[in-house]
């Protein structure tokens, strides 16, 4: 790579593949120990659904308590910078590039710098950028990628591990049962762990916590009246309300005072694509598995959207039948939205086949009709491409 491209984080990351067929799980922890980053206290969030919103709610709560807090999340929808959040805003590209250059300088102190830099993945480099960028903060909330014990974020020491609900997703990497997925997530727990009340495998959590001598805490209904009032003000779906509750539990563990008052005065959730009303007749959600689909179905029921047109597409390895089955009571028509996907195969043929099996009308998306209601549901890439091409153009 040309030196000028190496010094620009966007050009640098564009040279790295996002997905790998084979991953060396020992490489990143080994490199991480070598470079010895100075990082703030880490709050680690793991799970299948709700990581982003739980992390962002907790960021807003801790910031409101006077702490300097950052949130590292993934993936992004429109721009890489969305992954880095602090002081109620996304970090600007100049600051990101300074962190990138500082990280390059750290690596260049080693004889095998080029080999180390080349070996790191897109996500691993982004994770290290977060560690550099937020040095000196009171807290850094780090959201795991799709994994747990082998995720790059697990190399960091953490003061609190938070586990959101799990579901069958990324089964080729994490296991094909809830118990296998729970185990690889829970194996990342640190000395103190908070587990969602909706977590599917609590017995496994207890076993692993005992083996690690972890202080295990299960989510409880604290600060419920203020959470109820906040949820009513911003018309939160039930699953986001539960994620706010989980964040409030975490803040309580961290010793935040006056939580009732903080929750009552919180701003609206500042996160794209979580049951977000894009237009009066269009809701977008980046949930892409059956667990998330059931939560969105409950939200549609609560707001009285009894029939919607589902704008949808999915990667070939997803549980498409589970998603469509969960949403079927509310689907009038499936509208398959095609977009470029270079790294992973889209399952258009399977969607058409399953729509016939489920007896749901299915067509290719053409355009939005102001008289119809729509749910845009699927991956971050689906939501990104649809909004860019159909809403913002």
């Amino acid at each position: 790579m040309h030196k000028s491209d190496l010094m620009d984080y966007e050009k640098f990351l564009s040279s790295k593949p996002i997905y790998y067929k084979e991953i060396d799980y020992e490489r990143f922890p080994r490199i991480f120990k070598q470079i010895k980053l100075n990082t703030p206290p880490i709050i680690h969030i793991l799970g299948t659904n709700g990581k982003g919103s739980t992390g962002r709610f907790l960021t807003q709560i801790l910031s409101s308590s006077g702490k300097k807090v950052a949130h590292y999340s993934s993936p992004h929808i429109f721009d890489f910078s969305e992954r880095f959040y602090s002081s109620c805003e996304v970090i600007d590209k100049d600051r990101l590039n300074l962190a990138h250059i500082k990280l390059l300088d750290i690596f260049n102190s080693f004889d095998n710098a080029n080999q180390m830099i080349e070996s790191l993945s897109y996500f691993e480099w982004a994770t290290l950028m977060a560690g550099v960028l937020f040095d000196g903060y009171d807290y850094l909330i780090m959201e795991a990628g799709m994994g747990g014990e082998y995720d790059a974020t697990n190399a960091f020491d953490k003061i609190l591990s938070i586990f959101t609900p799990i579901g069958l997703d990324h089964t080729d990497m994490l296991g094909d049962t809830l118990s296998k997925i729970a185990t690889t997530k829970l194996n990342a727990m640190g000395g103190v762990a908070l587990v969602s009340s909706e977590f599917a495998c609590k017995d496994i959590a207890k076993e692993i916590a005992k083996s690690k001598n972890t202080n295990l805490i299960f989510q409880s209904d604290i600060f419920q009246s203020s959470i109820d009032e906040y949820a009513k003000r911003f018309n939160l779906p039930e699953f986001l309300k539960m994620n706010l509750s989980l964040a409030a539990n975490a803040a309580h563990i961290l010793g935040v005072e006056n939580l009732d008052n903080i929750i009552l005065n919180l701003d609206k959730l500042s996160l794209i694509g979580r049951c977000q009303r894009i237009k009066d007749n269009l809701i977008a959600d980046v949930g892409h598995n059956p667990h998330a689909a059931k939560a969105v179905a409950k939200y549609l029921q609560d707001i009285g959207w009894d029939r919607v047109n589902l704008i949808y597409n999915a990667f070939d390895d997803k549980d498409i039948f589970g998603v469509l089955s969960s949403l079927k009571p509310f689907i009038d028509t499936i509208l398959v939205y095609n977009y470029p996907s270079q790294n992973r195969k889209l399952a258009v043929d399977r969607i058409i086949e399953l729509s016939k099996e489920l007896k749901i009308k299915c067509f290719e998306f053409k355009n939005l009709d102001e008289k119809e209601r729509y749910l845009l549901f699927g991956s971050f890439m689906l939501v990104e491409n649809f909004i860019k091409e159909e809403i913002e153009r």
Side-chain angles (χ1 to χ4, degrees), residues 275-287:
C275 273
Q276 183 180 7
R277 191 72 70 97
I278 304 297
K279 301 180 68 176
D280 288 342
N281 65 335
L282 173 63
I283 293 171
D285 192 272
V286 292

Side-chain angles (χ1 to χ4, degrees), residues 5-23:
D5 290 344
L6 184 67
M7 300 298 283
D8 182 289
Y9 78 88
E10 291 181 296
K11 291 180 180 178
F12 173 83
L13 288 173
S14 69
S15 70
K16 289 186 173 292
I18 296 177
Y19 300 101
Y20 291 79
K21 290 182 178 180
E22 293 184 8
I23 301 174

Side-chain angles (χ1 to χ4, degrees), residues 197-212:
S197 59
E198 295 187 326
F199 196 86
C201 300
K202 294 186 177 67
D203 288 342
I204 296 176
K206 293 175 183 177
E207 291 172 9
I208 293 175
K210 185 177 180 180
S211 70
K212 290 176 170 282

Side-chain angles (χ1 to χ4, degrees), residues 149-298:
E149 61 183 315
Y150 301 118
D151 194 84
T153 57
N154 192 41
F156 294 73
D157 291 330
K158 51 264 188 183
I159 61 167
L160 176 63
S161 305
I162 302 174
F163 294 93
T164 67
I166 59 169
L168 291 173
D169 203 3
H170 300 293
T171 53
D172 56 329
M173 300 288 291
L174 305 177
D176 57 0
T177 66
L178 284 179
S179 61
K180 289 178 181 178
I181 291 172
T183 299
T184 191
K185 304 276 189 187
L186 292 164
N187 276 338
M189 70 171 62
V192 183
L194 170 64
V195 176
S196 166
S197 59
E198 295 187 326
F199 196 86
C201 300
K202 294 186 177 67
D203 288 342
I204 296 176
K206 293 175 183 177
E207 291 172 9
I208 293 175
K210 185 177 180 180
S211 70
K212 290 176 170 282
N213 197 28
T214 294
N215 178 14
L216 184 66
I217 304 165
F218 289 102
Q219 179 182 357
S220 57
D221 294 333
I222 54 176
F223 312 108
Q224 203 57 50
S225 61
S226 54
I227 290 170
D228 287 342
E229 189 168 331
Y230 175 91
K232 184 178 180 180
R233 183 162 84 249
F234 291 111
N235 194 27
L236 281 192
E238 188 64 28
F239 74 92
L240 285 181
K241 184 177 171 182
M242 289 296 295
N243 296 344
L244 172 57
S245 174
L246 186 61
N249 273 249
H252 180 65
I253 292 168
L254 293 168
V256 175
E257 299 179 348
N258 302 315
L259 262 170
D260 272 313
N261 188 56
I262 288 173
I263 293 167
L264 286 172
N265 290 283
L266 274 186
D267 290 332
K268 186 178 180 180
L269 177 67
S270 56
L271 200 61
I272 302 170
R274 275 67 173 185
C275 273
Q276 183 180 7
R277 191 72 70 97
I278 304 297
K279 301 180 68 176
D280 288 342
N281 65 335
L282 173 63
I283 293 171
D285 192 272
V286 292
H288 47 271
N289 53 59
H291 184 276
K294 289 174 184 176
V296 171
K298 175 68 167 57

Side-chain angles (χ1 to χ4, degrees), residues 12-41:
F12 173 83
L13 288 173
S14 69
S15 70
K16 289 186 173 292
I18 296 177
Y19 300 101
Y20 291 79
K21 290 182 178 180
E22 293 184 8
I23 301 174
D24 178 359
Y25 291 112
E26 295 180 357
R27 176 184 39 76
F28 182 82
R30 185 172 60 249
I31 291 175
F32 183 77
K33 286 180 182 178
Q34 281 184 269
I35 62 174
K36 298 178 181 178
L37 293 184
N38 292 317
T39 59

Side-chain angles (χ1 to χ4, degrees), residues 357-381:
E357 183 178 334
L358 290 166
K359 298 181 180 179
I360 306 172
K361 293 179 292 182
C362 183
F363 303 100
E364 182 181 352
F365 176 86
K366 296 296 184 184
N367 57 270
L368 293 173
D369 183 339
E370 295 299 326
K371 298 177 182 178
E372 297 286 331
R373 287 173 173 167
Y374 299 90
L375 170 65
L376 172 62
F377 182 84
S379 69
F380 283 77
M381 290 182 67

Side-chain angles (χ1 to χ4, degrees), residues 38 44 47 91 93-94 100 106 139 164-166 168 240 264 322:
N38 292 317
H44 195 204
I91 301 299
K93 294 187 177 184
D94 288 339
H100 168 68
I106 292 171
Y139 295 109
T164 67
I166 59 169
L168 291 173
L240 285 181
L264 286 172

Side-chain angles (χ1 to χ4, degrees), residues 300-339:
L300 294 176
Q301 182 182 39
D302 290 344
I303 64 173
W305 279 31
D306 54 345
R307 303 301 290 173
V308 299
N309 297 292
L310 175 66
I311 302 170
Y312 184 62
N313 209 328
F315 297 122
D316 200 42
D317 59 346
K318 296 300 178 183
D319 184 1
I320 297 169
F321 182 83
V323 167
L324 296 181
S325 297
S326 299
L327 292 171
K328 180 181 176 180
F330 299 90
I331 300 174
D332 180 73
T333 305
I334 299 170
L335 300 173
V336 179
Y337 186 76
N338 281 300
Y339 62 92

